[in-house]
Amino acid sequence: VEFSASYADRNGQLLQVFLTQDDKYRIYKPVNQFPPEFKEALLLQEDKYFYSHSGVNFVALAKAGWETYIKKSRRMGASTITMQVAKLKYKLYTKNIFGKIRQIFAAFYLEMCFSKDEILDAYLNLAPVGSNVEGFESGSWYYFNKSVQQLNLSEIIMLCVLPQNPVKRAPTQLKTSSELID
């Protein structure tokens, strides 16, 4: 995956960000540079058992299957962070049972090949956060004009809920690099 070239001043203020070849803004930030509060909020929102499962939360999967396919009451997700990384990495279609099974096997594979921190690092830097912006550092600059390390708790929470449905929760207009930092 390609990340955006970006330039900051000596105080860390972002000056310029360039689109990747696939027209995305992705600013890489290592997992160990994300504040603990951010990681805690993200795990509570996305996958509170991330560090204790092997890539798939079978209890959540069974509950989602029951609600979605048996009761037909509502569509419910059960993807772990590892499953979401697998979906992004392998460009999987997961809206049907066969796609979900492929996603489960891909998640097991990722868990065998990478550490939990490497998987979390991938998610933090590749999760869609609206428009053509991917990754939480990019999203932090896009929405708040500051680094993820400078966010307050309400900003952290807002940013953490975006991947649930970035199309509904974020602007749809593509941004230019000057708009990203203005």
Side-chain angles (χ1 to χ4, degrees):
V1 173
E2 178 188 14
F3 287 92
S4 299
S6 60
Y7 298 97
D9 66 17
R10 66 178 65 124
N11 299 318
Q13 184 64 31
L14 195 60
L15 298 173
Q16 182 74 44
V17 180
F18 296 95
L19 284 167
T20 60
Q21 297 231 339
D22 61 348
D23 293 326
K24 305 287 185 183
Y25 290 107
R26 289 186 205 100
I27 303 171
Y28 180 76
K29 181 174 283 297
V31 66
N32 63 1
Q33 290 183 17
F34 278 81
E37 303 82 16
F38 186 92
K39 290 188 278 191
E40 182 181 353
L42 181 72
L43 292 176
L44 281 171
Q45 172 65 27
E46 290 292 327
D47 187 357
K48 61 184 169 184
Y49 301 109
F50 176 69
Y51 285 103
S52 61
H53 62 63
S54 60
V56 179
N57 182 336
F58 287 104
V59 173
L61 214 71
K63 183 178 176 184
W66 176 261
E67 289 289 330
T68 303
Y69 299 110
I70 308 299
K71 283 179 64 178
K72 298 184 191 253
S73 62
R74 63 186 173 117
R75 187 166 185 83
M76 190 174 167
S79 292
T80 63
I81 285 176
T82 308
M83 291 171 70
Q84 292 176 59
V85 170
K87 179 181 178 179
L88 293 168
K89 178 175 177 42
Y90 300 112
K91 298 175 178 35
L92 300 173
Y93 178 80
T94 60
K95 300 264 187 224
N96 61 37
I97 194 101
F98 300 109
K100 192 55 79 175
I101 290 169
R102 281 192 285 278
Q103 185 183 26
I104 289 168
F105 280 107
F108 285 140
Y109 177 76
L110 290 176
E111 289 275 340
M112 289 182 344
C113 296
F114 300 98
S115 71
K116 287 289 191 177
D117 281 343
E118 289 172 320
I119 293 167
L120 185 57
D121 186 274
Y123 184 74
L124 288 168
N125 287 289
L126 299 174
V129 292
S131 188
N132 59 338
V133 182
E134 293 182 353
F136 292 101
E137 178 68 5
S138 303
S140 182
W141 284 103
Y142 179 84
Y143 293 108
F144 305 112
N145 199 31
K146 55 187 170 183
S147 174
V148 73
Q149 293 159 313
Q150 300 167 315
L151 298 178
N152 64 41
L153 184 58
S154 62
E155 292 166 335
I156 287 171
I157 291 168
M158 184 272 197
L159 200 53
C160 286
V161 301
L162 280 173
Q164 290 292 318
N165 197 336
V167 174
K168 284 186 180 177
R169 295 186 173 141
T172 56
Q173 182 178 354
L174 292 177
K175 291 257 182 171
T176 65
S177 64
S178 62
E179 290 174 312
L180 184 65
I181 58 174
D182 286 341

